[in-house]
Amino acid sequence: MSGFRLLDLVKPFLPLLPEIETPIERVTFDDKVLFTVSLGFVYLLAGLPIYGLPKDFALESNPFLWLTPVFGAEPLTLLELGLLPVVTAGFVFQLLAGLKYISVNLSVRLDRELFQTAQKLLSIVLSIVYTVILLVSGYYPPLASAGAYAFVGLQVAGTGIVFTLLSEIMDKGYGFGSGALAFITLNVATSIVTDVAGLDQVLVAPDTYESRGVLVHLVRNILSSPIASLRTVCTRTHLANLPQVVLALATILVLIYFQNFRVELPIRSTQLRKIYSAYPVRLMFTGSMPILFAYTALFNIHLAGYFVAAVAPAPVATFVTDYVLYYLSPPPSLVGTLVSPIRTVVFGAFVVLSAVWFASVWSLTSGSAGKELAAEFKKQSIALNGKRDASVIKELNKVILTASVTGAALLAVISLVTEYLGGLGKGAAVVIAVGAGFVFLEDFVSEFQQGGTSQFASVLGGAQ
Amino acid sequence: MAAEGLEKITEVPTEFIRDGSAFIKKCTKPDKKEYLKIIRAVGVGFIMMGVVGYVVKLIHIPIRYAIV
């Protein structure tokens, strides 16, 4: 029972940490829409620059740039860390429980509370640790005083903590789907729309303005200088270019196609004769979680490596930057992919293996694994065609494991293809956003159908 | 011995790929109608979120000038 004590360590913090109360009644559809929309607004408003950094400061090369889209983070804004602390803490505890390092019975109220509090505590601690790493390692420019550093740190860590709580609001059923994933999806959707149709002009060189959106820039200049504008749109690197946008849109289409692959298990009713039906098990059983896990691991390794490189003596620092961090990051472009094959292979292997490993752990521990599903079948008097009761669990587990592992590998390959073509993390972010979008959509539709008398529902119903 | 070891190492991925592709082959794939329907649903959702997000980002521009 040593594992149990680990969770009990959190007990003193229980009254100290702010907690979102679980809704007492069912939250209505309209309220859910309101909560989701307003939390989305808060997230978007947090994309403001950090106050106190020198004006016109820009990072010359941001080592985390390719990781930020995956976590809805935006460098040099309050969203410096994005949802990284929340997501990391979530994965740590899911894995600890899944691999039985801590014993927790989530159907017991106190256990569940302790588990959630521990997760929240870790998320808060991580927000602070990550911020300290950035401050100590010289990520920010030299500031005037220790007070100025503290002020910047307070903003970054503070936003991380606030989003820990905002995600909890969504997770506890006030909104649709999962909080962290909703924010990430919102960030990805915003960046895609901006890249395609952003109307605002950006100063890219003295006296030269370019439209943020690829399509807008093309339409605006196609008549006056067709060839020059086409060339700019295809090759520019300071703003999104046409190939990147096409790549992102193509990824979405491919993902939606695979999202609906499923194996239909033949089922029959045990009470009524000759009632046959099919129970679908999705290929993407674990959704995009395995990819998010792989990138969470990568971001944490890179933050730790960044810290080591800044404080460790020279030989260690060079080893970390030149080998560990180099091989565990995607090549910056298609040329880079071809020029450094070892990096391509090592990075690819890391993503695929960690995604597949996570999928295999997750599918057997999360709520809908074979055992629970079999119990559910029994309750609804459903039987798998041609299977006896005893072998149902085994059969379901087998199908679910194969589905989630194959799905994870497939998603990993898709995100790797986009990385190799120079997606800079945007491809992986799209993979996660589409997966999260589907969960969101399903939640939305099922709530909508149960919604009954809803004002939004009547408006939406008219539009359908 | 060495060859045997190598065989073991390659056996796991090959088996994995074989099982995986067999599973994918067995899958019911979405037909064209279903696919287009989902694309529309997901697309509308993404565009709605994205446009709202972009508009809020536009509000940022004057705020940035005001506070920096």
Side-chain angles (χ1 to χ4, degrees), chain A residues 48-53 78 148 151-152 155, chain B residues 67-68:
Chain A
L48 282 170
I50 297 170
Y51 187 75
L53 289 183
L78 296 174
F151 188 52
V152 168
Q155 293 175 65
Chain B
I67 65 166
V68 179

Side-chain angles (χ1 to χ4, degrees), chain A residues 4 62 230 397:
Chain A
F4 206 80
N62 183 347
L230 254 179
N397 270 339

